[in-house]
Structure formats: structure tokens, C-alpha cells
Amino acid sequence: MADQSAATGRTITTDVCVVGAGPVGLLAALALGRQGWQVTLLERRPQPAPDANPKGPAVVNIVQPVTLHLLDRLGLLEQLSERAGVIPGAEIYFGGHLAAQYSYAELADCPVPHALSIRPFDLVRLLLSEVTDLPNVTVLWEADTEALVSGPDGGETLTVRTGEESLTVRARFVLAADGRESTVRELAGIPTEVMPAGGSYLDVVVPSPPDWDGAARAHFGAHGYLLETRRAEEGLVLVWITDADTAGKVVEGPVEGLVEMLSGVVPRLADWIAEHVTDWAQVRRVQHHFVRTKTWSQGNVVLIGDSAHGMHAFGGQGLNTSLQDAACLAEAVDSALRGDAAAGIESYEAVRRPFIEAFQSLQVSNTQQPPAPAAGEEERAPEFEVLALGQPRIRPLIADAARFLAADLDQHRR
């Protein structure tokens, strides 16, 4: 069992230091820990209780088949599925008319025949249980990173405070998975833009309607963008993304105005929405941010997920691309630790960054005022195949990462 308390010594020497114990940092720590590397995982928050549940409305994420395949290679898919909602496919509507209908099971080369709607906390709990079973992984809770110094040999030294104790962590690599306001990124001096997304994002959860088939449905029109999808293993989430003025006219009035707007976009659910959306307290409002950095790595410091490329929720690619980061970059770091060239990290960024930035631009086009005035509705929708399988140029790297995650420890040179 990994040590989850503050270390007793003032210096910890480790192969990899992962900063951030969200899903992304935990996946990276698990992937590298299973290869036998010494991993130190730092998290500024307190250790969660085993049976703790987050307060407030449960945030959900749609995890696409390409990402589920990575979790399956780690042996986690069956357990993750127990508290998740299965999404068999999707429908796309433009101006109220069905324009496209997709089934994951009918998509060529789809590694898992569905997507899953999950609570991120459930994924964290599952990954954490696997990480803490590894004797070579040390988890330090309530650990604040205060300084970062790169050594002449390529190693990294962090000054970390845990309670009253100041520790030194010496690592060959540091993986920053500490989110859009990344402390490690700031300490490394990597130039970054963190920009609040324009427009407005609101969501509301209602019970699953009778005979609902579980398919995700995306509606594009003058109202902006409306998504109806599963809320984990039960419930329906209605997500409305539009410009600030359009939303403002609705949210300044009674909740019936929101009910009228939602019902006008999805008339088949009008009675159900009116029955179950009765108070503004049910509606969650979120401010998303975009993150763009000059580089995703500097020396042996590597940014992963939101630390490198924070996104809007539109298209549901934030968690997916971040988990793919963790798997692909863990493989690249493993290779570097074994003495191979570290060019895999730079190569990953070269392939991935253009897609990420183009997707961020697509998200902007769906939140500006008014939504995408110069673009046809079809141009505002992401490609289903790319969401399900990943961008074409990244698929070979993800396939390599899947093999890496599934490989036996004995097959590696560590």
C-alpha cells in the first residue's frame, strides 16, 4: 500500500513527480507506477474519505470509445461502467430537423461500442484505489508546490509544503496535471493565456423520461446549442450554450422562460421539462476558460490536460483529450526514463496541438454573440467519428499507448 501521509524525511528522490490527483494525474501516476517507476503524487487538497461524495449537482462527462479503450487496457472499464450511463449513439439536429444519426456499434474500428456518461469523482475514486495499491507510488495530500528548479543534469527539484513540513522532491520528470491555474506551469515560467469563454453555459438535470433510448442529441439553431444526454447511470442532462445576451434575457426572468426555450428546441420533451424544471435553484451556471500555452513541455517538466490546453465543455473533449494526454505522455516519459530519446513528448505536441487549438476555435464559434453568424449550422458541429475515435493523426499514438498500458511489467526494461 502506498504511503498516503506526509513523508518523514526532508528529501524525496523519485523517478517521476506528478502534481495533481485529478483523473489525469492519477492515470499518469498509475501508468508509470505499473511499470515499476518510483512515482510521487502531490495533491493540494485533503485526502477524500473513501465513501465521500461531492456536494451539489453531480458534474458528468461523456467519455468516448477511444478513451474508454485506454481505461479498458488498464482493466478498469468494467468497474467504471457500474455507475455510468451507456450512450449508444447520437443524433444531430439543425434548425429542428434531424440531419444525422450515428451508432457507435456501427462505426468502423470503434474499440468500444458505446460512450459512457460518468461522474468524474467516480473515475477519481477508481483510479485512486489502483494507485494506492502500488508500493512504489507515494501520495502526499495537502501538498503545496512552492518552488521549482531545473538541474544541470535535466532533473527537477521541487520545494513542497505539507502542513508544517517543508520537503524537497527531486524527480527526473515532473508532470503537471494541476489544472488551468497550474502552479507548476507558473513556476516553470511557461507563457500562458487563460481566457474566460464568452457566452453562457447552463445545465439542468431531470429524471430520465419513460422509454428514453439513451442517445445523445445535439440541437443547433438560432437559440445556440442544446445537448440532451445521460447523467451517469440515471437522469437526463439538458445543456444550453448560447451567447450572453440571449441567455441574459431568459435568466433575468422566471424559470418558465427557460422551460419555454428548452421546450421549443425539444418539443417531444416539453411536458416532461415543464413538470420537472420548476426552480432556478435546479439550474447550474458555469464559467468555462480556455488555456493556451507557448509550449507543453520545458526541460523535464511536462504539462498534461487543462494545464496545457483548457477547453470549454462544448463537444465534451476536455476530459477525453486530457486522459489521452496522460496515457500517451506516460509512455513517452517511460521511454525517456529507460534511456531512449525524449523526442516523443515534442512529437506528441506537434501532432496534438493543431487539433486542440482548432477545436478551441470551434468552441468559441458556438459561444460568441450571436452564435457563429458567418457559419452555417453544419460547420458548428464537431465530427462524430473524430469525437469517438480521436483525430486521425493521433490514433497511432493512442494505439501505442493502449499497448503500453496493457503490457506486463516483465516486458519492460525497468
Side-chain angles (χ1 to χ4, degrees):
M1 175 70 71
D3 178 12
Q4 296 185 61
S5 61
T8 56
R10 289 185 55 80
T11 299
I12 298 173
T13 300
T14 189
D15 294 309
V16 182
C17 180
V18 179
V19 183
V24 179
L26 286 166
L27 180 56
L30 178 61
L32 288 162
R34 284 191 177 179
Q35 308 312 311
W37 301 109
Q38 293 294 322
V39 178
T40 300
L41 178 59
L42 308 178
E43 173 53 54
R44 65 168 63 99
R45 296 170 296 181
Q47 180 179 357
D51 57 349
N53 285 300
K55 297 179 180 179
V59 178
V60 296
N61 289 96
I62 297 176
V63 184
Q64 296 287 347
V66 63
T67 313
L68 293 176
H69 181 58
L70 296 173
L71 296 170
D72 190 32
R73 296 302 84 194
L74 286 167
L76 305 179
L77 182 56
E78 183 176 351
Q79 288 176 270
L80 183 64
S81 300
E82 291 174 359
R83 299 189 64 185
V86 173
I87 300 175
E91 294 177 354
I92 309 296
Y93 291 80
F94 296 122
H97 302 288
L98 178 63
Q101 192 170 29
Y102 304 96
S103 167
Y104 289 108
E106 296 174 358
L107 184 62
D109 301 319
C110 193
V112 177
H114 56 259
L116 287 181
S117 173
I118 68 165
R119 300 177 184 88
F121 188 82
D122 290 332
L123 178 57
V124 166
R125 183 157 37 198
L126 177 57
L127 288 167
L128 184 59
S129 69
E130 297 292 322
V131 164
T132 53
D133 277 344
L134 297 175
N136 53 313
V137 178
T138 298
V139 184
L140 301 180
W141 300 98
E142 299 182 76
D144 289 312
T145 304
E146 298 181 331
L148 171 67
V149 177
S150 298
D153 60 351
E156 307 290 340
T157 300
L158 299 93
T159 302
V160 179
R161 178 161 295 279
T162 59
E164 297 299 317
E165 186 176 20
S166 183
L167 306 173
T168 297
V169 178
R170 293 176 178 165
R172 296 168 67 183
F173 277 88
V174 173
L175 304 185
D178 50 346
R180 73 165 189 260
E181 302 294 344
S182 171
T183 298
V184 172
R185 186 186 64 217
E186 181 179 356
L187 292 172
I190 298 175
T192 305
E193 287 184 283
V194 179
M195 302 159 287
S200 182
Y201 174 107
L202 300 93
D203 66 30
V204 61
V205 178
V206 299
S208 300
D211 303 321
W212 186 55
D213 61 6
R217 293 178 172 86
H219 304 264
F220 294 86
H223 61 275
Y225 166 78
L226 181 67
L227 173 69
E228 49 169 311
T229 191
R230 279 195 182 278
R231 175 188 180 268
E233 77 274 28
E234 54 82 26
L236 170 69
V237 183
L238 299 169
V239 178
W240 183 33
I241 300 173
T242 188
D243 65 282
D245 283 352
T246 300
K249 294 173 183 176
V250 173
V251 300
E252 290 172 4
V255 74
E256 286 78 11
L258 177 64
V259 169
E260 182 180 355
M261 197 290 304
L262 298 176
S263 300
V265 177
V266 193
R268 76 179 201 287
L269 295 179
D271 292 342
W272 193 255
I273 293 170
E275 179 182 352
H276 294 283
V277 180
T278 58
D279 194 296
W280 277 115
Q282 298 172 255
V283 182
R284 192 173 66 110
R285 307 177 194 181
V286 181
Q287 174 63 68
H288 291 285
H289 292 76
F290 296 109
V291 175
R292 286 190 177 180
T293 60
K294 183 177 181 180
T295 179
W296 292 0
S297 64
Q298 183 165 284
N300 284 2
V301 176
V302 184
L303 308 182
I304 301 181
D306 284 352
S307 301
H309 50 69
M311 289 184 169
H312 195 285
F314 171 78
Q317 283 295 282
L319 182 62
N320 284 275
T321 57
S322 297
L323 292 174
Q324 293 160 23
D325 279 1
C328 292
L329 292 172
E331 182 188 20
V333 169
D334 173 77
S335 180
L337 288 168
R338 289 188 279 110
D340 295 342
I345 296 171
E346 295 178 0
S347 299
Y348 179 81
E349 179 178 353
V351 172
R352 190 59 144 175
R353 181 188 281 273
F355 170 80
I356 293 291
E357 294 188 349
F359 201 89
Q360 288 175 324
S361 296
L362 177 64
Q363 292 179 321
V364 169
S365 75
N366 283 277
T367 58
Q368 65 188 21
Q369 176 184 344
E377 290 172 342
E378 291 81 355
E379 296 177 45
R380 293 168 51 200
E383 294 182 38
F384 180 80
E385 181 180 322
V386 172
L387 297 183
L389 305 180
Q391 68 184 106
R393 289 191 64 204
I394 206 74
R395 292 174 198 171
L397 295 178
I398 295 176
D400 288 344
R403 287 188 287 270
F404 165 74
L405 295 177
D408 250 356
L409 175 60
D410 293 341
Q411 294 178 331
H412 290 262
R413 285 179 268 170
R414 178 70 174 98

